[in-house]
Amino acid sequence: DAGVIQSPRHEVTEMGQEVTLRCKPISGHDYLFWYRQTMMRGLELLIYFNNNVPIDDSGMPEDRFSAKMPNASFSTLKIQPSEPRDSAVYFCASSRDRATNEKLFFGSGTQLSVL
Amino acid sequence: QKEVEQNSGPLSVPEGAIASLNCTYSDRGSQSFFWYRQYSGKSPELIMSIYSNGDKEDGRFTAQLNKASQYVSLLIRDSQPSDSATYLCAVTRYGQNFVFGPGTRLSVLP
């Protein structure tokens, strides 16, 4: 299994530009999560999907952030317009279900720098 | 407010010693507990899970859970420099999202 695949690994952009992060979950995993990690706030859940449907987006910081999952093997997280405070590492993770013993598998992350 | 707390560290131990990492959580209904290791610049990687009170051993790692005290710990025996990383405690219950602690940075000195 290839694991959770994210792209790009690094993204450097200027304030005001649109940024799109991509994720391919592990095949057969019904849950997909987007996390953001910063030194100050640690690992924060932004949004998660179950069977391609967004279930909880309460962690999305503001309307500039949006996420989609058009099919079981692909999800995007978009920031438009981007701001310097969005600079962080964005992780995608997937799991098979929400049973208590079900583990999260993380992708390698996207290091986003907004100048 | 559901919270998971950890000492941020850094926790420094000499090579070969036992490293003890601690985690407390506020949600008494929590059912599953995980330890993730994160090397600098890398993604979190699951190293241990524990679901019932007591100890669970896996190689050099031992997870300890005490639900009455709302406390979970990770012991690393015979610590190696390659164990130097940030260790994240994660807690969840059925149907709920994982709640991660801020992580403890461990430094194993050769």
Side-chain angles (χ1 to χ4, degrees):
Chain A
D1 198 323
V4 178
I5 299 173
Q6 289 187 247
S7 64
R9 286 298 308 274
H10 299 90
E11 177 79 33
V12 180
T13 190
E14 293 186 345
M15 183 174 62
Q17 297 298 306
E18 177 179 297
V19 174
T20 299
L21 311 181
R22 297 172 177 79
C23 175
K24 175 179 167 54
I26 294 173
S27 177
H29 282 196
D30 291 336
Y31 286 84
L32 182 140
F33 305 80
W34 282 100
Y35 284 88
R36 177 172 69 176
Q37 188 175 40
T38 61
M39 288 293 292
M40 290 296 293
R41 301 173 68 91
L43 203 57
E44 304 174 277
L45 177 65
L46 300 178
I47 185 172
Y48 80 91
F49 295 81
N50 173 217
N51 291 324
N52 315 337
V53 177
I55 302 300
D56 182 357
D57 65 354
S58 59
M60 296 285 260
E62 48 196 276
D63 292 346
R64 297 184 298 105
F65 286 69
S66 63
K68 294 181 180 179
M69 192 165 185
N71 57 62
S73 59
F74 184 66
S75 176
T76 60
L77 178 67
K78 185 176 293 186
I79 308 172
Q80 166 64 19
S82 58
E83 297 183 2
R85 59 190 167 129
D86 302 330
S87 298
V89 180
Y90 290 80
F91 288 106
C92 176
S94 70
S95 69
R96 220 166 29 172
D97 60 40
R98 294 293 298 281
T100 53
N101 61 347
E102 205 49 54
K103 307 167 183 64
L104 273 180
F105 294 86
F106 285 84
S108 54
T110 295
Q111 173 76 60
L112 174 63
S113 297
V114 183
L115 306 177
Chain B
Q1 176 74 20
K2 298 174 185 176
E3 290 186 350
V4 176
E5 298 184 350
Q6 300 178 251
N7 290 326
S8 60
L11 171 66
S12 295
V13 299
E15 184 174 355
I18 295 176
S20 178
L21 305 165
N22 304 317
C23 172
T24 59
Y25 58 95
S26 61
D27 182 5
R28 283 196 170 274
S30 298
Q31 297 170 294
S32 302
F33 307 85
F34 303 88
W35 283 98
Y36 284 80
R37 177 178 61 200
Q38 187 175 23
Y39 291 115
S40 180
K42 301 295 185 182
S43 59
E45 169 194 19
L46 179 69
I47 55 172
M48 287 287 290
S49 58
I50 187 166
Y51 311 104
S52 50
N53 283 328
D55 295 359
K56 179 182 178 183
E57 187 175 316
D58 184 0
R60 296 187 296 113
F61 298 97
T62 298
Q64 299 175 317
L65 175 61
N66 184 326
K67 290 186 178 180
S69 301
Q70 296 175 242
Y71 175 90
V72 59
S73 66
L74 179 70
L75 301 178
I76 306 175
R77 289 181 300 281
D78 187 24
S79 296
Q80 302 297 310
S82 58
D83 295 326
S84 298
T86 296
Y87 289 80
L88 301 168
C89 174
V91 174
T92 189
R93 64 155 87 181
Y94 182 79
Q96 301 294 315
N97 291 318
F98 284 69
V99 180
F100 283 86
T104 297
R105 190 155 52 95
L106 172 66
S107 178
V108 181
L109 307 174

